[in-house]
Amino acid sequence: MRELTKILMILLVVFAASCSIDNSKKGGEKEKFINDLIGKMTLEEKIGQLSLFSAGIDPTVPVSNPKYADDIKAGRVGAVFAAFTTRDIERLQKMAVEESRLGIPMLFGYDVIHGFKTIFPMPLAETASWNPDLIRHTARIAADEASATGVNWFFAPMVDVTHEPRWGRGVEGSGEDPYLASVVAVARVKGYQGDDLKDVSTVAACPKHFAGYGFVEAGKEYAPVDVSEGRLRNLILPPFKAAIDAGALTMMSAFNDVNGVPAAANKFLMTDILRGEWNYNGFVVSDFGSIDSLVVQGYAENNKQTAELAFNAGGDIDMESSSYKDNIPALVKEGKIDIRDIDRAVRNVLNVKWELGLFKDPYKYIDKTREKTRMLTKQNLETARQMAWESFVLLKNNNRVLPLDLKKYRSIALIGPLADNQADYMGTWIAQGDTFNVVTLKQGLEKQLPSGIRLNYAKGCNIEGDDCSGFSEAINAARRSDIILLAIGEKGNMSGESGSRGDITIPGVQSELLYELSKLDKPVVLLLSNGRPLAIEKEVAASDAVLVTWIPGTAGGDAVADVLLGQYNPSGKLPVTFPRSVSQVPIYYNHLPSNRPGDPSNRYSCSYIDIPFTPLYPFGYGLSYTTFKYSDLKLDRKEGGENDIVKVSVKVKNTGDFDGEEVVQLYIRDVAASLIRPVKELKAFKKVFIKKGEEKTITFELKPERDFAFYRADMTYGTEPGRFLIFAGTNSQDVLKEEYLLKE
Ligand code: GLC
């Protein structure tokens, strides 16, 4: 018997070994290459792969390591930040590949947030198009342009959900809803990374800022963040998960703390959730110097401890703080960092370089011919123009003053500091975009207006300041005109990083100019340039039409002129709630119910005694030059289990005089749950073109196991049986409603 057992044991061992050999074959060339390379690396070279430095080429990106060139040649730098020409990237890559001992190629990361050379509308504006295919296309163009210079890693997409219009960085993201933000995150990741990462036009994506940055206290930049785990998991994390599931190769952690633990050293986020629950095997890079700042943030006693805390929490790459470079050797020697974890982090980084094809050809992205031919092409500019069209949101159009009737309006006053302004049509994070390429609104109109139409231009005032001396010229221009176009709003840098505003009204004396012009008893069209929701209740009341143009980018002026003249019927929908005043903030559509829901007629309700509790404009709101009528919301079943599919249909008729696109929105409400759920949650949408007079039936499929699931009171993920409300409509308020029962 003993002999038989012995033979069986031998057979078992041989079988297991063969499996492992098969596995290594399955793991393949990449695993073998990476393991062999790691086996040759010194500790210093390993730490080099975990260090990212600026080469000081972009004046806005300071050099934190003056010895970066020596370090590159010594194999102590794994990635360079903010290099963006073939000349510089080739020079730096050669230092790494041809002068360092192991010749490991470097990543070249850059903030390409809304275009590289062709600048698209800011990401929040792109989201207002509710057109993920177009968003993916603009991301593809950005990757195509940037990769031609050798850039192979974007610090994008920014996927931070936020309810805070005071916070400047909402403009870089996708608004207040986790579903919409997830759809846009996937579109951008797929646009950047393309269908095949080996393609020279692809770059590694980097969803950021993991996590919770959009909930900084009072919307104040870099402020602390305190959120419940339910809000973290149900509202903040979904777009990150969607980006990872879409294949994002890298991730960036946030500056802020999450409930007292800085994101840069947050094990719960970067290890337990990201790697433990989501099986993420890319790398995590810190935000700019955020590892160093763990000391000032009250989390680390000293610089050495910053490296220990951040690395052991799951932070792979140190962006611009030198903390890893300076401290990890000693921490490994002291046993405070395990060399096996170093190898794991290095493997994550080398994996990305392998996936990008850099080991096969470290210079594959550096292409002087592409650098000359791929930028600002006619097609790229046409796409930028289309994206701008589709991003604009028509908030008001009394007496159908738009589109402009040039038979009626023979002379047009164009007034305001945003009317002939290139810089503020670009916004922040403009990468290598050139302001001189921007088409202003004045230029756009001059190109398109027929010769018989007179354009009377006056700036009127500045964006900031209290100088009203230009008012008289503006009023005179208006007096000579049949209609007034007033382009006012924010400067491009009044949003973006370090762009929080405590006052979200229109700055300076621009509103006063509007009120003066509105006394002339001529139609006034307000063209708003904004990087956030603005409190514009009085300005809307003083205008006949209001078009939100956000920060429209290189082709902005052409696009605004197109829409004003009816070349394109606006279809944008708000991805963020517009409050009546900052004192209502935070105010958002997907809020939890109160025990006494707001009721204007009842003081004892979720409301104020001195101001309305309702928003100026709700999430999902946006008008068209035509009108759409919704009817016949139908469910193909009234009840079912979580695996049953619910087919939803709704009829939408174009009842106006223009063909147009409509974003049909589908929301749900889980009426009773172990963790109370929002009064509405967006779960699907379709942007459809409907000819005037035509009616279409729009269909959706709800899958309860996917669409009704949430993190419950015990933080497990899943559905709970009970009543659900299903809504369909043109925005989050004007909806048709049906009931559905989810059974055990
Ligand atoms: C900045 C931003 C981050 C950006 C990084 C590199 O401070 O927070 O979004 O990608 O540093 O510029």
Side-chain angles (χ1 to χ4, degrees), residues 81 111 155 169 208-209 252 255 287-288 319 429 497:
F81 172 172
D111 288 290
F155 301 143
R169 303 199 73 171
K208 66 184 185 182
H209 306 78
M252 184 186 292
F255 285 130
D287 200 341
F288 197 105
M319 178 193 288
W429 299 114
E497 185 172 359

